[in-house]
Amino acid sequence: ASAYEPADLYRLAMVTDPVVAPDGRRVLYTRASFDISSDRRQNELWLATLDAEGRLLDQRLLVPAATSAGGAVFSPDGSRIAFVGAVAGKPQLFILALADGIARPLGTQKTAPQSLAWSPDGSRIAFGAQVDAKPLEIGGMPAKPEGATWAPAPRITEELVYRRDGAGWVTPGAAQLFVIEVATAKTTQLTSGDTDQINAGDRIEWTRDGRSLLFSAYRGADADLRANDADLWLVPAAGGAATQLTSAPGIEASAALSPDGRRIAYIGGPDAPKFYAMPELWLMDAKPGAGAVKLSAALDRPILAAEWAEDGRSVLAFYNDEGVTRVARIGLDGRVQRVEVPRIGGTRLYLPSSGGGFGYARGTFAYTSAFTDRPAGLGVARGGRQTAAIDVNAGWAAGKRAGRLEEINVKSRADGRRVQGWLLYPPDFDPAKKYPLILDIHGGPNTDYGPFFSVTHALYAARGFVVLFTNPRGSIGYGEAFANAITGAYPGQDHDDLMSAVDEVAKRPFVDGRNLFITGGSGGGVLTLWGIGKEPDKFRAAAALRPVTDWALQTYISDIGAVTWKYWLDGKAPWDDPVHYYNRSPVSLAAKWKTPTLLVTGESDFRTPIAQTEQVYGALKLRGVPARMVRLPEAPHGMGRPSQWLQSNLAVIDWFEKWRVK
Ligand SMILES: CSCC[C@H](NC=O)C(=O)N[C@@H](C)C(=O)O
């Protein structure tokens, strides 16, 4: 067996997006892999068949990678699947009849349909999609001659958010709700307006009689400024005015109707001047203006998704808990009962964050099943135990030697709070030897790390580093108060939490105290640059990936600038209180920086735009601190194409190797 190597990224696979058929006896899932020639992710759609106990009978490939299938959903009778694919680079809705396995295109779509929802009788499909508008133009230009090779057209905007990370430059237009008839492809646009009329990526729900559609939207013209606002709406499926069901400031979204159609369970919460709006589970009558009660108060964890139990007496909620994803049955009185569904895990792959994919129907749970030494497979559970498992990496993993993963818990030097973390050891770890230590800090900052495999950490460990990764305050999964403990102080005691973990681990005899390294991406980049400013003598070298370095700049030029200002910098505007912004910005510590520092950022990162990386690089070079800047062409915040993930990881290893005391 060999240690993990960079080319393994192109040899492994990962399960995502499991969907359980209405009868609970079949599971659709996506098998993702990374093609070394095109250097792109590819997705196949697979169907697993189960027996009555949930054991695997067989599985087959339904839609090959060439179609790029996504968003698949079963028809109510389970005989057909609707999904969105790509034909000649354009989005296309397909219906696949399971009887003959043929995927037939349905209608023509100009933009990608999202959140497909079958009507109860299986005759129609609702979806959200953007309707493009005419782009702004500069008047008075001469006509462009046929075949002329002019410079590309300018990008003109009057929007606050004119580019979105990952999606690119925003095309003018608005998201609308549509219904398409399956037999005739007749398509009806149910909403209209110049601003988004639906949160196109959020759940769409048919009323039980098939006459109306329930969805979420923030319909104000100031939507770009109101990131934490969404209301519930009901619109007749045959066309007509929409009725607003909720209007409170805050988020009411992902609405699910009870089996009798009389109640709505939704995810969200009221707007508040806090760092983190924890998504909670709420219950209301399906009537305009009905009051809502919070069902998940006793759980005190972020709700990722929720489905009604068949009897309508409880809701099954998927939630984050201490680095992993769990399921709870929450009664309509708010009573919480844990449901045993083993090892639900993340599908971020590049880094070990929790989350993952999951589905439920008729007592069957299907989920991305996490491992510590390989990417997620498919898990199926019934009656509190795992009944089926598909490991898409069994062959590959058999030839690999993985390092051991150990959970640690330390007390923060700030206030004694418990901080959870993990250590990943090199594959051939020998406790009698000395090892360099990498602290890797997650971003968000309201996200997490968990006990999972990741490409990044596997590569670091395979190259002989012990990897420490933790969940400092601000992380999710430890309660609302812990996630919000950075309100008014970010960065602040989160830095102490991280340093407490480093100090504790550095006491272990196998840690080479001369070779402590610090790295992190995005919010983790913030804390990396903060860390080398606050502790200039602690780390041998640093690597800040896609960092925020200056909160004023971030507010002005990020695609989430409105969130930054309103929730992360205490509602103060940079023009009103520039000192507040400066004091929180890592660049305010530039005079203390002396640690050799690597910076890695995508040139199309619109979340933490590269101008901030350039600012820090300039400061380091002007001060004479060893620095290297790696710019990834066309890469967004998520580090772009598979080879760019590897370049990012290997750049960090190269830099730490260069500075490691030998
Ligand atoms: C600290 S600025 C926000 C950056 C971003 N948060 C949300 O998009 C972030 O930290 N992303 C993390 C998850 C990352 O890219 O690793």
Side-chain angles (χ1 to χ4, degrees):
S2 60
Y4 187 82
E5 60 185 34
D8 282 328
L9 177 59
Y10 298 107
R11 298 178 186 126
L12 47 77
M14 176 174 69
V15 169
T16 68
D17 303 303
V19 183
V20 184
D23 62 2
R25 298 281 293 269
R26 283 154 305 151
V27 178
L28 272 176
Y29 69 90
T30 297
R31 187 183 189 280
S33 59
F34 303 91
D35 177 47
I36 198 165
S37 302
S38 60
D39 191 26
R40 291 197 186 275
R41 176 183 172 138
Q42 48 188 20
N43 291 334
E44 295 169 345
L45 191 59
W46 284 72
L47 182 73
T49 308
L50 311 171
D51 70 11
E53 272 76 53
R55 290 177 301 228
L56 183 68
L57 290 175
D58 63 55
Q59 58 164 327
R60 63 182 162 118
L61 175 64
L62 272 191
V63 183
T67 309
S68 300
V73 276
F74 281 98
S75 61
D77 68 358
S79 68
R80 291 163 294 167
I81 289 161
F83 66 89
V84 179
V87 175
K90 296 223 169 81
Q92 175 64 56
L93 183 58
F94 285 94
I95 305 292
L96 183 147
L98 287 168
D100 61 15
I102 298 173
R104 297 172 175 88
L106 180 65
T108 49
Q109 294 83 35
K110 291 194 180 123
T111 60
Q114 288 180 271
S115 309
L116 309 182
W118 288 85
S119 61
D121 64 359
S123 67
R124 292 157 293 164
I125 295 171
F127 60 87
Q130 151 126 344
V131 175
D132 288 342
K134 199 170 169 305
L136 292 171
E137 281 174 7
I138 294 169
M141 286 291 290
K144 186 172 160 187
E146 188 73 28
T149 52
W150 284 14
R155 294 189 176 96
I156 311 168
T157 189
E158 295 180 355
E159 305 297 324
L160 170 63
V161 182
Y162 50 89
R163 51 186 189 174
R164 284 189 200 283
D165 188 64
W169 301 95
V170 168
T171 310
Q176 308 291 354
L177 176 61
F178 294 84
V179 167
I180 185 165
E181 283 178 13
V182 177
T184 63
K186 183 181 164 220
T187 306
T188 310
Q189 183 178 329
L190 295 180
T191 56
S192 58
D194 295 343
T195 58
D196 288 349
Q197 300 296 301
I198 175 170
N199 287 346
D202 192 30
R203 179 175 184 143
I204 299 171
E205 186 93 330
W206 288 81
T207 52
R208 302 286 166 235
D209 58 8
R211 292 165 82 161
S212 302
L213 287 151
L214 175 64
F215 59 98
S216 77
Y218 178 76
R219 290 186 161 188
D222 58 347
D224 279 354
L225 282 167
R226 303 278 288 265
N228 282 359
D229 225 322
D231 304 310
L232 297 180
W233 294 79
L234 196 63
V235 70
T243 305
Q244 188 164 6
L245 298 185
T246 66
S247 55
I251 296 178
E252 300 96 43
S254 306
L257 275 170
S258 58
D260 65 6
R262 288 168 48 206
R263 287 192 262 210
I264 295 171
Y266 71 82
I267 299 174
D271 194 21
K274 287 183 190 170
F275 205 100
Y276 176 55
M278 187 164 85
E280 305 217 55
L281 183 66
W282 298 78
L283 179 71
M284 63 177 279
D285 286 341
K287 290 186 198 142
V293 290
K294 194 198 286 185
L295 286 189
S296 58
L299 194 62
D300 191 22
R301 293 288 186 270
I303 307 294
L304 303 171
E307 297 293 342
W308 282 88
E310 283 74 9
D311 63 5
R313 290 159 67 170
S314 59
V315 177
L316 295 155
F318 295 81
Y319 64 98
N320 291 113
D321 183 39
E322 302 204 354
V324 298
T325 301
R326 299 190 196 281
V327 184
R329 181 182 293 278
I330 306 184
L332 301 190
D333 56 359
R335 237 181 321 184
V336 175
Q337 212 189 329
R338 174 103 166 258
V339 179
E340 286 309 325
V341 177
R343 293 196 309 193
I344 304 178
T347 43
R348 195 168 169 207
L349 186 58
Y350 175 61
L351 287 166
S353 298
S354 74
F358 19 77
Y360 169 81
R362 293 245 174 164
T364 300
F365 293 91
Y367 46 92
T368 54
S369 168
F371 299 88
T372 56
D373 63 348
R374 67 195 78 177
L378 178 74
V380 175
R382 282 183 69 86
R385 60 183 192 89
Q386 182 153 319
T387 53
I390 295 175
D391 179 357
V392 289
N393 292 295
W396 170 79
K400 289 285 140 188
R401 247 176 20 252
R404 185 168 71 85
L405 190 69
E406 177 195 335
E407 180 182 332
I408 60 161
N409 286 279
V410 301
K411 274 190 179 172
S412 173
R413 72 185 185 189
D415 54 8
R417 236 181 242 256
R418 176 175 77 97
V419 179
Q420 188 184 27
W422 294 267
L423 281 174
L424 179 65
Y425 292 90
D428 296 314
F429 178 74
D430 175 352
K433 291 191 179 152
K434 291 275 188 199
Y435 291 87
L437 177 78
I438 296 179
L439 167 69
D440 178 32
I441 311 167
H442 74 66
N446 301 127
T447 64
D448 66 359
Y449 275 159
F452 309 124
F453 171 85
S454 75
V455 170
T456 303
H457 291 178
L459 277 176
Y460 292 168
R463 290 289 294 271
F465 294 88
V466 172
V467 187
L468 166 64
F469 51 112
T470 68
N471 285 333
R473 69 195 65 198
S475 303
I476 56 168
Y478 302 86
E480 198 260 352
F482 191 83
N484 265 315
I486 54 172
T487 302
Y490 172 63
Q493 292 177 330
D494 41 0
H495 167 75
D496 294 305
D497 298 348
L498 294 164
M499 294 308 117
S500 306
V502 172
D503 292 344
E504 196 56 42
V505 171
K507 286 181 198 154
R508 300 197 182 187
F510 58 81
V511 173
D512 178 355
R514 302 166 309 162
N515 282 312
L516 304 182
F517 297 94
I518 181 169
T519 184
S522 196
V526 172
L527 288 164
T528 297
L529 295 172
W530 195 259
I532 58 169
K534 291 285 176 189
E535 327 261 338
D537 298 310
K538 197 177 197 102
F539 297 101
R540 183 73 193 141
L545 318 179
R546 54 191 186 287
V548 173
T549 66
D550 178 327
W551 286 111
L553 207 49
Q554 172 74 3
T555 299
Y556 292 128
I557 66 175
S558 165
D559 66 347
I560 57 165
V563 173
T564 309
W565 157 28
K566 197 164 168 193
Y567 301 101
W568 295 4
L569 273 297
D570 316 317
K572 294 175 180 159
W575 49 88
D576 286 333
D577 199 343
V579 174
H580 183 62
Y581 273 70
Y582 181 74
N583 288 342
R584 292 271 199 93
S585 298
V587 75
S588 69
L589 301 176
K592 303 261 175 51
W593 284 337
K594 59 180 193 185
T595 309
T597 298
L598 169 78
L599 296 147
V600 183
T601 301
E603 290 187 338
S604 293
D605 185 333
F606 299 151
R607 181 62 42 90
T608 56
I610 197 164
Q612 302 187 74
T613 293
E614 291 163 350
Q615 178 192 49
V616 165
Y617 183 70
L620 291 166
K621 295 305 286 184
L622 289 167
R623 281 178 48 71
V625 179
R628 180 182 286 175
M629 175 165 61
V630 176
R631 308 172 64 103
L632 301 171
E634 294 172 20
H637 194 63
M639 304 315 282
R641 308 210 358 218
S643 69
Q644 292 176 311
W645 297 9
L646 293 177
Q647 279 154 351
S648 171
N649 293 148
L650 296 174
V652 173
I653 293 171
D654 274 1
W655 187 248
F656 290 172
E657 275 301 336
K658 175 181 163 104
W659 291 100
R660 184 164 70 86
V661 182
K662 308 277 174 359

